[in-house]
Amino acid sequence: MKIDCRLLIRIGCGSTKVRASFCSYRKPLKRRLAVVPQGGNTGLVGGSVPVFNEVIINMASMDKIISLDKVNGILTCEAGCILENLNNYLTSEGFIMPLDLGAKGSCQIGGNVSTNAGGLRFIRYGSLHGNILGLEVVLANGTVLDMLGTLRKDNTGYDLKHLFIGSEGSLGIVTKVSILTPAKLLSTNLAFLACNDYLSCQKLLFEAKRELGEVLSAFEFMDSHAIDLVLGHLEGLRNPLPTSSYKFYVLIETTGSDESYDKAKLEAFLLHSMECALVSDGVIAQDISQASTFWRIREGISEASVKLGAVYKYDLSLPVEKLYDIVEEMSQRLGDVAKVVGYGHLGDGNLHLNILTAEYSDDILAKIEPFVYEWTSMHRGSISAEHGLGLMKADKIHYSKSSETVQLMASIKKLLDPNCILNPYKVLPQSVL
Amino acid sequence: MKIDCRLLIRIGCGSTKVRASFCSYRKPLKRRLAVVPQGGNTGLVGGSVPVFNEVIINMASMDKIISLDKVNGILTCEAGCILENLNNYLTSEGFIMPLDLGAKGSCQIGGNVSTNAGGLRFIRYGSLHGNILGLEVVLANGTVLDMLGTLRKDNTGYDLKHLFIGSEGSLGIVTKVSILTPAKLLSTNLAFLACNDYLSCQKLLFEAKRELGEVLSAFEFMDSHAIDLVLGHLEGLRNPLPTSSYKFYVLIETTGSDESYDKAKLEAFLLHSMECALVSDGVIAQDISQASTFWRIREGISEASVKLGAVYKYDLSLPVEKLYDIVEEMSQRLGDVAKVVGYGHLGDGNLHLNILTAEYSDDILAKIEPFVYEWTSMHRGSISAEHGLGLMKADKIHYSKSSETVQLMASIKKLLDPNCILNPYKVLPQSVL
């Protein structure tokens, strides 16, 4: 991969001065220069890095909140707004963003849309395809496509905005977003639980969906390697269940509108789960500070995993019943040379598989790939649950999608971007373009 | 409109015999005969009717349930399954369909997907774009496109299934569906409330989203004309609030996991709303029978509206604050010649506007259209919230979508169906094809 030169254009709009620069990103497009749209640059698959001579279009200065419809909870903003800033603004108005990620402090909403970000609130509020109400998008020929509606229902023709959600900037550049934001509910409770085996985690998920029903807002899991990693390498954290060591840990969050009732509900669920022996031990956070410590453990895994040396990261969707098998098989396959860590959004069937070694080695990579992709494909999983394909996995798309589907994707790419100037070399293999 | 001949092909699959007929729908496609896919035929905009010599592809015999993943609540079935049958099956397994419509007894899931059906549970579970996990689709060239995944998260390439959701069979024929189904919650409560003015309905919606939060599952409204129509023309129904007459009525449903708590919550909300004078009177259904009577009033409006003579039906999305203005303006505009009825899914900003006259007249139509479309367009609404465009409104698309957007829709139609044989004359105006 050779980077010859990179021209950075900042995009903004609003004032006269800024309107000029708003238009400036259309110049390279009109001149058929290849461009790479770049948000917070927090992606893990190389979706926002230039490969050869592409112009980087940096969206950071398009960070205005345009409007908030307080009756319906609909936020309209520019694509460069940082997720955490949007959430802070909404919280002060009685709403929240329907998505939450570890990278919230730097990722931008345009990037979230372009990568169809999932994250921690997915189990409660679902995917961006359900929450994005409208988009403004710049096409490869410089046309600004106004689909910035704020209606919950609109069945007038094809719902084209979905083409751009998750297409990683390769079909158009998202410049404005309108999004449905749920009401901020006042009562949040968080339990940190231990399970002795993976089957108990699964059964606990099933029971939580039934018993906690409408208040369940997160169901995260991590294995003991993930916990050891965080506690061993991040400062100031300790295991909330210190007396013994368990194989699996689960974080269950509920969010509702009635503090005392919601807490009692979670306590009753925890008690019942312990009586049924689904849960071996557990604790409910007593205050915000303890809750944020619990979350810090879960969210710190990614940060801690790089401290050992090299990390091979995989982001898989799998049927929940099979989800942990790949961690165990990979661990056996690699033996002592690597530590295999499994964690993720169990409630959404999403495993983050991290393989840690002292240093990077082609031999180890050859043992991991294509095995991990073949295994996932064989179980009808997805080789990229929420990280996208970007540059690193563009050639792997056939593990998750049929060749007819990939062919249709390529036709649509060629229709919208005939000169292949939008985020080239990403998402689709060059062989189909 | 001239119908010369209609050839009906029934589609099914499973046995050897049926597999032959499963393939039979590919024959007309391969011979470039124009086809009209037809589900329950319950649409209101002529989306499933042939215009000239199209072959009707009737999906009724593709009615098998393929699988139910009980851990994750994912149903996979053929496109001809009737919505109510699916819901009954799921209920016995502890789940429900995420959508519910008045036409549930005859509409089919393939048609629901193809028209992106909204309905009564939308406020709780959101749109089909958020709930459909996978589709199998037959393309215009006869290719079967397998996108029948059952994963909640999958970011490997463009999420093409969204192109087919809501495209009314004009880009492909939906043959199989996998859909996320929520757990059936045991406690349902329903309140029938009266408000004196529209502003109170709006404020009540805002409060209900806050106070009832996670259990709110429907917020429907109807004006006094709608109620009078139902009570006057359907047998065995009476106003649950008989002592006086109010201008607006609201149905609020909650669905949760705790019977006594949920009921107390709704009662407290009702009491508080009456104290604040948002609600003038109200009653909570005491049993299932009374609840189904309340729903019968709301769902009977469409049936009752045809009893007077002719009905001009419109299905609009509008900002909630403006939503009832069009009913009042239309009523003033038409004077004594028509009764203007407004009702719908207020929680989703979706108004069903029915204009009733003794008999059909071009003069009256000329007073309604294009006024109703221009008004909606001026307020950035949608001229078809959940009914689609079909044959009747294909030429009206410009009232809700920009010409660049319509142009891109046409390009995609031409890419996927270059000979225009899939449900011709529907969705898009002929002038752009």
Side-chain angles (χ1 to χ4, degrees), chain A residues 70 72 94 115-116 153-156 158 170 206 210 257-258 261 265 317 320 345 350 382 384 386 401, chain B residues 70 72 94 115-116 153-156 158 170 206 210 257-258 261 265 317 320 350 382 384 386 401:
Chain A
K70 293 186 193 178
N72 305 294
T115 57
N116 188 27
K153 293 181 176 174
D154 177 18
N155 279 344
T156 51
Y158 312 145
S170 69
F206 182 84
R210 286 254 160 330
S257 56
D258 186 329
Y261 173 79
K265 197 175 170 92
S317 271
V320 173
H345 317 291
N350 182 185
S382 167
S384 183
E386 55 176 17
K401 292 288 159 71
Chain B
K70 293 186 192 178
N72 306 294
T115 57
N116 187 27
K153 293 181 176 175
D154 177 17
N155 279 344
T156 51
Y158 311 145
S170 69
F206 183 83
R210 286 252 161 332
S257 56
D258 186 329
Y261 173 79
K265 196 174 170 91
S317 272
V320 173
N350 181 187
S382 167
S384 183
E386 55 177 17
K401 292 287 159 72

Side-chain angles (χ1 to χ4, degrees), chain B residues 173-186:
Chain B
I173 303 171
V174 172
T175 48
K176 290 178 190 157
V177 170
S178 71
I179 183 167
L180 186 68
T181 69
K184 177 174 170 53
L185 299 174
L186 293 177

Side-chain angles (χ1 to χ4, degrees), chain B residues 103-308:
Chain B
K104 58 183 163 244
S106 42
C107 67
Q108 297 170 8
I109 188 68
N112 297 149
V113 170
S114 299
T115 57
N116 187 27
L120 304 167
R121 291 176 183 159
F122 192 100
I123 192 175
R124 176 68 166 266
Y125 299 114
S127 85
L128 285 176
H129 285 284
N131 291 305
I132 293 293
L133 298 181
L135 293 179
E136 183 191 83
V137 172
V138 180
L139 299 180
N141 61 8
T143 302
V144 178
L145 201 62
D146 177 6
M147 304 174 292
L148 200 63
T150 56
L151 304 168
R152 289 211 63 187
K153 293 181 176 175
D154 177 17
N155 279 344
T156 51
Y158 311 145
D159 201 344
L160 295 181
K161 65 174 181 278
H162 294 286
L163 267 182
F164 302 94
I165 300 173
S167 63
E168 304 187 54
S170 69
L171 296 180
I173 303 171
V174 172
T175 48
K176 290 178 190 157
V177 170
S178 71
I179 183 167
L180 186 68
T181 69
K184 177 174 170 53
L185 299 174
L186 293 177
S187 146
T188 297
N189 286 286
L190 188 64
F192 191 96
L193 313 175
C195 296
N196 267 329
D197 51 56
Y198 181 68
L199 189 60
S200 298
C201 298
Q202 272 185 69
K203 287 184 179 169
L204 193 66
L205 170 62
F206 183 83
E207 293 296 327
K209 283 189 177 178
R210 286 252 161 332
E211 301 291 319
L212 299 172
E214 65 279 7
V215 292
L216 182 65
S217 55
F219 193 106
E220 298 291 307
F221 98 115
M222 44 215 146
D223 63 14
S224 57
H225 303 303
I227 288 276
D228 293 346
L229 198 63
V230 168
L231 301 181
H233 293 89
L234 298 188
E235 283 191 10
L237 292 176
R238 62 178 189 81
N239 191 336
L241 304 171
T243 48
S244 56
S245 156
Y246 301 96
K247 193 136 197 277
F248 295 97
Y249 295 84
V250 170
L251 260 187
I252 295 182
E253 188 191 71
T254 67
T255 312
S257 56
D258 186 329
E259 187 110 22
S260 60
Y261 173 79
D262 287 352
K263 190 159 192 176
K265 196 174 170 91
L266 184 57
E267 282 168 353
F269 175 74
L270 176 53
L271 194 68
H272 181 242
S273 304
M274 290 179 83
E275 282 169 2
C276 302
L278 287 183
V279 164
S280 305
D281 199 359
V283 56
I284 293 178
Q286 292 306 305
D287 52 36
I288 291 179
S289 153
Q290 199 176 13
S292 70
T293 308
F294 290 4
W295 271 120
R296 175 87 180 109
I297 293 173
R298 165 63 186 84
E299 295 193 291
I301 301 171
S302 182
E303 182 186 339
S305 66
V306 298
K307 307 245 172 176
L308 276 191

Side-chain angles (χ1 to χ4, degrees), chain A residues 69-73 93-95 115-120 122-127 129-130 139 143-160 162-168 170-171 183-185 202 205-206 209-215 255-258 261-262 265 317-321 345-350 380-389 397 400-402 404-406 408-413 415-416 426-428, chain B residues 69-73 93-95 115-120 122-127 129-130 139 143-160 162-168 170-171 183-185 202 205-206 209-215 255-258 261-262 265 317-321 345-350 380-389 397 400-402 404-406 408-413 415-416 426-428:
Chain A
D69 166 351
K70 293 186 193 178
V71 176
N72 305 294
E93 300 285 347
F95 299 90
T115 57
N116 188 27
L120 305 166
F122 192 100
I123 192 174
R124 175 68 165 267
Y125 299 113
S127 84
H129 285 284
L139 299 180
T143 303
V144 177
L145 201 62
D146 177 5
M147 306 173 293
L148 200 63
T150 56
L151 305 168
R152 290 212 61 186
K153 293 181 176 174
D154 177 18
N155 279 344
T156 51
Y158 312 145
D159 201 344
L160 296 181
H162 295 286
L163 268 182
F164 302 94
I165 299 172
S167 63
E168 304 186 53
S170 69
L171 297 179
K184 178 174 171 52
L185 299 173
Q202 271 185 69
L205 170 62
F206 182 84
K209 283 188 176 179
R210 286 254 160 330
E211 301 293 318
L212 299 172
E214 66 279 7
V215 291
T255 312
S257 56
D258 186 329
Y261 173 79
D262 287 352
K265 197 175 170 92
S317 271
L318 285 164
V320 173
E321 311 89 75
H345 317 291
L346 192 65
D348 314 313
N350 182 185
R380 287 188 72 94
S382 167
I383 61 155
S384 183
E386 55 176 17
H387 292 171
L389 292 170
I397 193 168
S400 288
K401 292 288 159 71
S402 71
E404 292 86 359
T405 312
V406 175
L408 181 52
M409 289 179 199
S411 304
I412 287 173
K413 168 73 177 174
L415 176 73
L416 270 85
K426 317 293 166 58
V427 188
L428 293 172
Chain B
D69 166 351
K70 293 186 192 178
V71 176
N72 306 294
E93 301 284 348
F95 298 91
T115 57
N116 187 27
L120 304 167
F122 192 100
I123 192 175
R124 176 68 166 266
Y125 299 114
S127 85
H129 285 284
L139 299 180
T143 302
V144 178
L145 201 62
D146 177 6
M147 304 174 292
L148 200 63
T150 56
L151 304 168
R152 289 211 63 187
K153 293 181 176 175
D154 177 17
N155 279 344
T156 51
Y158 311 145
D159 201 344
L160 295 181
H162 294 286
L163 267 182
F164 302 94
I165 300 173
S167 63
E168 304 187 54
S170 69
L171 296 180
K184 177 174 170 53
L185 299 174
Q202 272 185 69
L205 170 62
F206 183 83
K209 283 189 177 178
R210 286 252 161 332
E211 301 291 319
L212 299 172
E214 65 279 7
V215 292
T255 312
S257 56
D258 186 329
Y261 173 79
D262 287 352
K265 196 174 170 91
S317 272
L318 286 164
V320 173
E321 312 88 75
H345 317 291
L346 191 65
D348 314 312
N350 181 187
R380 285 189 73 96
S382 167
I383 61 155
S384 183
E386 55 177 17
H387 292 171
L389 293 169
I397 194 170
S400 288
K401 292 287 159 72
S402 72
E404 291 86 359
T405 312
V406 175
L408 181 52
M409 290 180 198
S411 304
I412 287 173
K413 167 73 175 171
L415 176 72
L416 270 85
K426 317 293 165 58
V427 188
L428 292 173

Side-chain angles (χ1 to χ4, degrees), chain A residues 3 5-12 25 34-43 46-51 54-63 78-82 106-115 168-170 172-175 421-424 426:
Chain A
I3 300 178
C5 80
R6 290 180 295 176
L7 166 64
L8 189 144
I9 298 180
R10 289 202 179 272
I11 295 185
Y25 66 90
V35 298
V36 177
Q38 202 172 77
N41 217 357
T42 61
S48 59
V49 297
V51 180
E54 299 92 296
V55 174
I56 295 178
I57 300 201
N58 182 302
M59 305 296 289
S61 58
M62 278 196 80
D63 63 349
E78 293 179 343
C81 292
I82 288 172
S106 44
C107 67
Q108 297 171 8
I109 188 67
N112 298 148
V113 170
S114 299
T115 57
E168 304 186 53
S170 69
I173 303 170
V174 172
T175 47
I421 57 172
L422 285 174
N423 213 4
K426 317 293 166 58

